[in-house]
Amino acid sequence: MADLTPWQRLQQANLVEGDAPHDTRPHWSSRFLLGMVGWIAALFLLFFLFMSFSQLTRDANSALMMGVVLMAIAYSLNRFAQRNATSSDLVDQFVLALALAADAWLLYGLIDQLDPHSAPLWLGLALLSLAIAALFEHWLIRLFHSFAAAILLTLGLACLGLQLLALPLVMAAITLCWLQAERQPVHHQCYESLTLGLALSLLVLGRLHQPLWDGGANMLDELGHSRLPLWLNPLLCAALLLGVMVRLKLPLRYGLPLVLISALIPGMGAGTLVLVLGFYAGSMGLMTLAGLLLLGFGSLYYYDLGLTLMTKSWLLLGSGALLLGTRQLLKVLNGRAPS
């Protein structure tokens, strides 16, 4: 029985019939070469367009028109490939290159005409990115545009002085996408790419709240000074984390310390939320991102402490001892729990 393949075990259980299906996908090296060919073809096309319409693309309106045309071509190719089941790595990468080039031209045309301190500009671009992510049946395009939508939303909120709400809102969007993926398994790939894109944006959001140079203001404060108290950001993140733990029916005696830490240290709630969702869904990508988020936000908090190095060293020593003691306590409690 141990020597049987998974297919043979399914046959013995009368769950399948016939021969085992063969993997018809090409080798990864062939897929890589096809993807490279798609990018080269797209770059040649973009180079031709740039050389042919170089004078027109310097004008903002012409750049907008070029971006709209390229996005329409990319969307048409994507829909045609999906409808006729002719999608391949070559077509996918060609569509991705066209879509990213269209994004660049659209962004250039809009920013050149509008005020960068205008909240409607950034919020409108965020909605446009979400619309593109929803329309395209392309995993990477959804990931890139959900990432861009979160950043653009943050910039729009910063113009209104509400930048401290950006992190909780993105966390809420990640939770919503994950819940929708659980309710609609057919669209799992769509929600997975959106979730990963939003989670990636959290890495950038943490840096946007930091000063651009020593003694200077951060990028978000350059767009507009915050109207909200600083303690509101980690408090909202901790409340959202607590709500997710209750929704997943996780043991609160283990989760409440994480909620408390999230309420005290800015950004830790985002990393913990992604870690919980990734662990619950068995997603290695989300768990890896969560580790990077916790490491990044923890490092930023450590270096922002107005303490001497000796005091920080004692704090690290005490934190390590506390973690080891907590681990030992959990082992004792699990040992006493009835099996």
Side-chain angles (χ1 to χ4, degrees):
M1 185 69 179
D3 297 333
L4 296 178
T5 63
W7 185 260
Q8 290 172 338
R9 294 176 184 174
L10 291 174
Q11 283 181 324
Q12 287 191 351
N14 295 322
L15 297 176
V16 295
E17 295 179 353
D19 297 329
H22 298 285
D23 188 4
T24 58
R25 293 180 302 175
H27 193 261
W28 69 265
S29 57
S30 300
R31 298 183 63 191
F32 175 77
L33 290 176
L34 285 173
M36 290 297 297
V37 170
W39 271 95
I40 292 172
L43 290 175
F44 270 110
L45 175 62
L46 295 174
F47 181 72
F48 167 76
L49 292 174
F50 180 78
M51 294 299 294
S52 302
F53 306 102
S54 58
Q55 296 297 327
L56 293 177
T57 53
R58 294 177 184 176
D59 178 60
N61 292 324
S62 300
L64 278 173
M65 182 61 65
M66 183 66 70
V68 171
V69 170
L70 286 178
M71 189 64 73
I73 293 173
Y75 176 73
S76 301
L77 285 174
N78 179 250
R79 283 297 178 183
F80 178 80
Q82 296 295 331
R83 188 175 303 168
N84 295 277
T86 57
S87 181
S88 65
D89 294 291
L90 188 149
V91 176
D92 288 344
Q93 296 304 316
F94 188 82
V95 169
L96 176 62
L98 288 181
L100 293 180
D103 289 335
W105 258 314
L106 287 172
L107 188 62
Y108 166 71
L110 287 172
I111 291 183
D112 192 65
Q113 296 188 73
L114 300 177
D115 181 16
H117 291 81
S118 170
L121 166 66
W122 300 114
L123 296 177
L125 288 175
L127 291 176
L128 177 62
S129 294
L130 283 178
I132 293 173
L135 290 173
F136 277 82
E137 294 185 17
H138 194 291
W139 198 89
L140 284 175
I141 289 180
R142 288 193 183 117
L143 185 143
F144 288 148
H145 284 84
S146 61
F147 172 87
I151 303 301
L152 293 169
L153 172 65
T154 303
L155 297 178
L157 291 174
C159 294
L160 299 173
L162 305 175
Q163 53 263 48
L164 292 178
L165 296 179
L167 198 63
L169 287 176
V170 174
M171 290 172 58
I174 291 173
T175 306
L176 179 62
C177 287
W178 180 84
L179 291 175
Q180 287 298 113
E182 190 181 45
R183 294 170 184 170
Q184 302 177 9
V186 178
H187 303 292
H188 180 267
Q189 282 195 343
C190 170
Y191 291 114
E192 179 190 32
S193 56
L194 293 175
T195 302
L196 286 174
L198 293 171
L200 276 172
S201 70
L202 295 176
L203 292 171
V204 181
L205 293 185
R207 186 66 186 89
L208 290 179
H209 286 281
Q210 300 300 313
L212 299 174
W213 58 84
D214 291 339
N218 61 54
M219 180 179 178
L220 299 180
D221 285 342
E222 291 289 336
L223 293 174
H225 292 287
S226 177
R227 302 177 182 179
L228 302 174
L230 292 176
W231 53 263
L232 183 62
N233 179 284
L235 193 63
L236 289 176
C237 294
L240 182 59
L241 176 62
L242 179 61
V244 171
M245 288 183 172
V246 173
R247 169 68 174 75
L248 299 180
K249 299 179 180 178
L250 299 178
L252 293 182
R253 65 175 180 177
Y254 302 144
L256 285 179
L258 296 175
V259 174
L260 180 61
I261 293 175
S262 301
L264 296 176
I265 303 178
M268 296 299 284
T272 307
L273 175 73
V274 176
L275 180 63
V276 169
L277 294 179
F279 182 78
Y280 194 83
S283 173
M284 186 59 67
L286 283 179
M287 287 190 284
T288 303
L289 279 175
L292 294 175
L293 286 169
L294 292 173
L295 180 63
F297 283 115
S299 300
L300 289 174
Y301 181 76
Y302 173 79
Y303 284 109
D304 284 343
L305 288 174
L307 303 173
T308 63
L309 289 177
M310 179 60 69
T311 305
K312 290 181 178 180
S313 300
W314 281 111
L315 284 175
L316 288 176
L317 181 63
S319 301
L322 179 62
L323 289 174
L324 289 175
T326 304
R327 177 179 179 272
Q328 189 63 30
L329 177 62
L330 292 176
K331 288 178 64 177
V332 172
L333 292 176
N334 288 333
R336 292 178 179 176
S339 56

